[in-house]
Amino acid sequence: MEMFYVTNNTASAVAIADIPVVDYVALYNDLKERMNDPRYHVGHYFATEVENGLRFYMILLDDQTGEVLITSFVPDYYAEGLASLTAVHQQFHPFEREIFELYGVPFDNHPWLKPLRFSHDRRDKTSTMDSYPFYVIEGEELHEVNVGPIHAGIIEPGAFRFICDGEQVLHLEIALGYQHRGVESEMIRNGNRLRQTLIAESIAGDTAVGHTTAYAELVEKLAGKDIGDDLKRERLVAIELERIAMHLADTGALATDIGFQLYQVACEALRTVTINTTQAWCGNRFGKSLIRPLGSNFPLTEAKIETIRTNMADVRRRYNEVREDILEAQTLLARFEQCGLVSKDEMQRIGGVGQVARASGLKRDLRATHPSGFYAEEFSHEPILRTDGDVMSRLATRMDEVLQSIDYIHQVLANYKPSTTIEAPDYDASLMPEALSFSLVEGWRGEICHVALTDKEGAIAKYKVKDPSVHNWLGLAIAVRSEGISDFPINNKSFNLSYCGHDL
Amino acid sequence: MIFGKFKILHSHGWQYIPNLDNVTLTEEFRGFPLLTVTDDKSDIERAAAICPTKAITTSPLTLDMGKCLFCGECQRCAPKNIRFTNEHRLAATRREDLVVMAGQTKPCFTKDAVRPEIAKYFGQTLQLREVSAGGDASVEMELNATGNVNFDFGRYGVGFTASPRHADGLVLTGPISANMAEALDICYNSIAEPKILVVCGSEAISGGLYADSPAIDRTFLDKYHVDLWLPGAPTHPLCFIDGITKLRK
Ligand code: SF4
């Protein structure tokens, strides 16, 4: 029997019956070897309750061929226990931790089998936010700094514990879960797909377009319908606008943290122009209401196309002035260069994704490796890479991506006339029964992966969400090791990870 | 190098909005809804059925802005019954004032419900501590934006502060995740009296999409008096600015 069902990111949903059920030991041995090759990484890995136990599903991505490998297994884990994949390939750690937290599955030799988010349906209710087992190092010269869950700014909560030797950080551990709202269980509370769409918009409000695109593509695969080039094109514009807006916000935020007010205010104003452009398109500055399954309520009009073009040309010109000045600003470079290093190998090891991975030279970009939507049409995307893996690289990647995204918008809107083919959204299309559908979307933070399983009637019975932050939080913890604790804020901003997207 | 900075400044120009009371948002913005009763109830019944937060009642016809996420879908189902205007001044001092009735032409801000000491103590300056308890980051970013170079709410003495000990009140965002409930309570109780409580965003006001989720714990709102309710998903910065301004007058 084959180990995997092989598909890709544009194929339709997969019949559950077609997904192999393999022997865990065989899979473990396969992955132990296979994952040494950097072309592979884990996209999702979760368990779900079946008649007499749990069935585990795993989705692997092959960056070289664009293939997506799906497999499953139904172990008698109480009898045998499961050998931990994390012990050999650390990128599996959040997934095994989640399965452990939800179902009590013990993973033998997992080096860090701690709760992931204290979800309401966790198995061990005596394990609470307050009892998070922080790592401890004994030593008379060491001290701990505890930050959170409430932070100094207007920002989401999370608990950070630093172990420091003087000013130097030896270790940072990040305990999350404060933002847990029950996204995945609310997704299947009832079959109202407008409600599901709005939940997708709220997974991470700063990635409303990204996550809702993932939801919409997943549903469209289950419906077995092609949405047409025009809608794909408009969705590309929407998600690139979101990327531009957030990269502008982060450029400004990094400047704020070193007291560089000129760049801060310039970027604030440019972000305002960008999100107001989205607002002029759909009525919401974050693009909520813009992405809908199988259609759109806001097909672009002549006037809106013109607004987007004009505003983006203006943002490009002004942002480029900021960018050029940043590249020469010694006081900024002195803080950002060689600070918060994460090597390419390290990124690869932890399964890092998105622009922070690209800043370390790791080419993880679904728009290039696993394109869907308009990226899979006659469109070629070349990811922007840096090799230093420091705060400056993460900023520089962002800066170049802003310009690239604006160019993409101009490219796809050149000669574009208001569409006559875009339909109204459809919340009632019938979905393929007993199927697995996944979507992979490159949001501004990186790889978003949603997975759904449908029941006999074609209703979504299981919904799993992965925000790129799930992979990348560990990257931040690694970046600050051996840095001064006062450099934590710039490192944090250079990652800008999602709490709610992680906690769900 | 210095030339580059002049170039940035020159392109930047003047960004602040001179009169914050005088802004009209884009036509597409969905703010205060106008409701009209029709004999044929089929459209509005469909709208009420699809509304993901059950914000609409059909008899009598009402729309609860504290539950509404302003997705606009109900207007598409029942265009004769519901029309969202671009009015962003949605603040209310009483929870019930967020329930819009048929024929109502503007939002209802009940000045009588404002505690008199608010203007007395916070009319000059007001420093707030924000707590996100399951907020999705969009409301939080909009609150940050109130102090940015465009809105610059700081010019009226209003800002956000890190320590609750320095704060005159708390701004709550998010449906209140159970995992944050205790930290929220501790933070609120760390703020010295007199203080205000502002609930920002429809998810905070009603729980929104998560109202029935077992992962949230809204007992905080049963315990304390709320001075200002600000709907939206997220609340627009100008809605926040308008509400706080009215509260302090
Ligand atoms: S706009 Fe508000 S009331 Fe209408 S359907 Fe959406 S959430 Fe419900």
Side-chain angles (χ1 to χ4, degrees):
Chain A
M1 181 182 215
E2 292 295 322
M3 191 66 82
F4 298 100
Y5 178 91
V6 180
T7 179
N8 62 54
N9 196 20
T10 49
S12 56
V14 186
I16 291 177
D18 290 343
I19 299 172
V21 183
V22 302
D23 173 47
Y24 181 70
V25 177
L27 178 66
Y28 175 89
N29 288 331
D30 177 289
L31 294 174
K32 200 173 161 188
E33 286 306 311
R34 184 187 297 270
M35 304 308 277
N36 286 327
D37 190 335
R39 69 193 255 198
Y40 295 107
H41 72 276
V42 55
H44 220 316
Y45 176 29
F46 61 93
T48 186
E49 274 152 357
V50 289
E51 226 161 85
N52 39 19
L54 294 173
R55 182 165 174 184
F56 294 60
Y57 289 90
M58 187 184 290
I59 296 180
L60 296 184
L61 275 62
D62 179 343
D63 287 353
Q64 206 164 305
T65 61
E67 287 173 345
V68 177
L69 283 58
I70 307 178
T71 190
S72 76
F73 58 94
V74 182
D76 183 3
Y77 52 88
Y78 290 115
E80 309 155 19
L82 293 180
S84 166
L85 281 163
T86 308
V88 276
H89 296 293
Q90 288 173 18
Q91 56 175 293
F92 287 98
H93 87 97
F95 303 103
E96 289 190 338
R97 283 171 63 186
E98 185 196 69
I99 295 166
F100 164 70
E101 179 170 45
L102 288 175
Y103 305 109
V105 176
F107 286 98
D108 299 341
N109 293 324
H110 189 297
W112 203 251
L113 204 51
K114 300 189 182 195
L116 188 69
R117 60 170 76 92
F118 299 92
S119 48
H120 67 93
D121 46 359
R122 65 189 179 276
R123 190 176 176 96
D124 179 6
K125 295 274 167 38
T126 62
S127 150
T128 67
M129 290 296 334
D130 291 339
S131 63
Y132 182 87
F134 279 104
Y135 183 67
V136 189
I137 309 179
E138 303 287 343
E140 287 206 343
E141 289 172 2
L142 304 181
H143 68 278
E144 288 184 351
V145 180
N146 203 15
V147 184
I150 301 176
H151 298 265
I154 308 176
I155 186 169
E156 303 173 68
F160 294 14
R161 185 161 303 179
F162 299 86
I163 301 174
C164 299
D165 180 5
E167 294 287 296
Q168 199 181 35
V169 178
L170 290 184
H171 178 83
L172 162 62
E173 186 162 359
I174 303 167
L176 298 173
Y178 294 96
Q179 290 286 73
H180 175 68
R181 299 155 287 171
V183 165
E184 291 178 340
S185 50
E186 287 307 301
M187 263 291 189
I188 53 169
R189 175 177 287 279
N190 58 42
N192 182 338
R193 274 185 233 151
L194 173 62
R195 184 178 140 87
Q196 292 171 351
T197 313
L198 265 68
I199 292 175
E201 286 179 339
S202 78
I203 291 168
D206 54 18
T207 318
V209 174
H211 274 289
T212 315
T213 304
Y215 170 76
E217 288 191 356
L218 177 148
V219 168
E220 286 149 10
K221 285 176 182 178
L222 282 167
K225 288 193 185 154
D226 187 83
I227 55 167
D229 276 5
D230 288 350
L231 184 53
K232 289 179 190 168
R233 191 187 291 264
E234 297 197 5
R235 281 188 186 168
L236 182 146
V237 175
I239 202 166
E240 295 303 334
L241 275 172
E242 181 170 84
R243 192 180 326 275
I244 295 161
M246 289 309 300
H247 284 355
L248 288 169
D250 287 341
T251 312
L254 277 162
T256 309
D257 274 5
I258 54 164
F260 220 126
Q261 210 210 4
L262 177 67
Y263 304 149
Q264 176 197 335
V265 295
C267 289
E268 279 176 357
L270 290 170
R271 173 173 175 264
T272 304
V273 174
T274 310
I275 61 180
N276 282 355
T277 305
T278 302
Q279 182 177 244
W281 182 359
C282 72
N284 186 289
R285 307 217 297 169
F286 293 80
K288 290 184 177 182
S289 73
L290 187 50
I291 309 296
R292 288 292 177 266
L294 293 155
S296 168
N297 283 326
F298 299 96
L300 283 170
T301 60
E302 202 90 55
K304 287 179 181 180
I305 295 170
E306 200 39 47
T307 305
I308 295 173
R309 280 207 190 126
T310 318
N311 289 356
M312 284 305 103
D314 184 41
V315 169
R316 195 188 196 289
R317 180 184 60 79
R318 283 158 61 186
Y319 185 65
N320 196 37
E321 291 172 2
V322 176
R323 183 182 141 271
E324 282 175 354
D325 205 63
I326 282 180
L327 294 173
E328 291 182 0
Q330 286 107 339
T331 51
L332 178 147
L333 297 174
R335 290 291 307 276
F336 290 176
E337 282 184 343
Q338 295 299 306
C339 179
L341 293 165
V342 185
S343 69
K344 183 179 173 183
D345 286 351
E346 195 97 68
M347 267 297 170
Q348 153 72 23
R349 183 171 69 79
I350 64 168
V353 294
Q355 61 89 22
V356 299
R358 300 196 280 278
S360 294
L362 186 62
K363 197 166 167 179
R364 288 272 161 78
D365 193 330
L366 296 170
R367 292 172 292 174
T369 59
H370 298 79
S372 60
F374 204 70
Y375 301 102
E377 308 292 315
E378 325 102 74
F379 189 91
S380 94
H381 166 65
E382 194 45 56
I384 286 165
L385 295 178
R386 282 280 187 291
T387 49
D388 288 349
D390 54 6
V391 173
M392 189 60 208
S393 301
R394 293 189 280 275
L395 172 58
T397 326
R398 279 191 177 83
M399 295 197 297
D400 290 351
E401 288 190 2
V402 168
L403 303 185
Q404 185 186 49
S405 295
I406 295 176
D407 293 344
Y408 286 168
I409 289 176
H410 284 305
Q411 182 189 325
V412 304
L413 288 184
N415 309 317
Y416 182 60
K417 293 274 167 293
S419 170
T420 50
T421 63
I422 295 180
E423 299 189 22
D426 180 355
Y427 303 106
D428 302 308
S430 63
L431 306 183
M432 180 174 168
E434 301 195 299
L436 179 149
S437 183
F438 67 87
S439 53
L440 291 161
V441 171
E442 187 72 19
W444 66 271
R445 276 194 187 92
E447 181 179 307
I448 298 168
C449 178
H450 290 198
V451 188
L453 301 174
T454 56
D455 64 15
K456 285 197 183 69
E457 274 74 50
I460 294 176
K462 177 87 180 174
Y463 203 90
K464 296 298 292 176
V465 175
K466 185 201 70 187
D467 187 86
S469 309
V470 168
H471 296 283
N472 288 353
W473 273 110
L474 187 57
L476 171 60
I478 289 170
V480 298
R481 274 186 203 159
S482 82
E483 296 298 349
I485 192 169
S486 55
D487 278 335
F488 173 71
I490 56 172
N491 275 286
N492 190 23
K493 294 277 164 53
S494 77
F495 277 83
N496 190 5
L497 301 173
S498 175
Y499 299 78
C500 53
H502 175 281
D503 294 349
L504 300 176
Chain B
M1 295 228 346
I2 192 75
F3 179 66
K5 292 181 178 55
F6 280 126
K7 227 161 65 175
I8 295 171
L9 262 183
H10 182 257
S11 295
H12 181 70
W14 295 104
Q15 291 289 340
Y16 78 101
I17 302 166
N19 186 349
L20 292 171
D21 289 339
N22 216 355
V23 184
T24 309
L25 294 179
T26 162
E27 281 294 312
E28 290 288 3
F29 181 80
R30 287 174 297 281
F32 182 74
L34 298 174
L35 308 182
T36 312
V37 179
T38 51
D39 287 338
D40 180 2
K41 295 243 184 315
S42 54
D43 285 354
I44 190 69
E45 270 160 15
R46 265 193 311 129
I50 197 177
C51 174
T53 54
K54 302 271 163 275
I56 300 169
T57 64
T58 52
S59 42
L61 175 57
T62 66
L63 191 156
D64 184 351
M65 292 195 293
K67 290 183 179 167
C68 179
L69 301 172
F70 300 85
C71 71
E73 207 64 46
C74 53
Q75 175 174 337
R76 289 175 193 275
C77 292
K80 293 203 183 83
N81 304 106
I82 301 176
R83 188 170 73 78
F84 283 93
T85 69
N86 61 347
E87 175 57 80
H88 62 266
R89 299 168 187 85
L90 307 177
T93 51
R94 303 183 307 180
R95 176 68 181 85
E96 61 269 29
D97 289 344
L98 293 177
V99 181
V100 179
M101 311 284 174
Q104 190 181 328
T105 54
K106 56 179 192 337
C108 174
F109 186 91
T110 308
K111 188 72 196 165
D112 290 348
V114 180
R115 291 182 285 140
E117 62 264 36
I118 292 180
K120 182 171 166 218
Y121 291 115
F122 307 128
Q124 297 278 323
T125 169
L126 176 66
Q127 293 298 312
L128 296 161
R129 171 66 243 192
E130 190 270 350
V131 177
S132 168
D136 76 359
S138 60
V139 205
E140 291 76 5
M141 290 190 83
E142 290 298 49
L143 287 172
N144 269 315
T146 62
N148 76 8
V149 65
N150 305 100
F151 298 111
D152 187 21
F153 201 19
R155 71 183 111 159
Y156 297 109
V158 182
F160 288 89
T161 183
S163 170
R165 302 285 191 201
H166 301 161
D168 307 313
L170 187 141
V171 181
L172 166 69
T173 60
I176 317 188
S177 45
N179 290 346
M180 262 308 278
E182 189 190 0
L184 169 65
D185 208 274
I186 293 172
C187 183
Y188 181 75
N189 283 303
S190 307
I191 300 173
E193 297 280 359
K195 60 183 163 189
I196 65 168
L197 178 57
V198 179
V199 176
C200 191
S202 298
E203 302 234 293
I205 296 172
S206 65
L209 296 161
Y210 301 98
D212 297 323
S213 168
I216 69 167
D217 173 358
R218 298 181 52 76
T219 47
F220 176 82
L221 288 173
D222 303 333
K223 284 197 279 188
Y224 305 110
H225 172 77
V226 175
D227 293 291
L228 195 64
W229 304 91
L230 300 167
T235 305
H236 196 283
L238 287 168
C239 174
F240 177 85
I241 288 168
D242 168 70
I244 295 285
T245 305
K246 283 186 190 139
L247 194 68
R248 298 161 74 218
K249 274 218 180 100

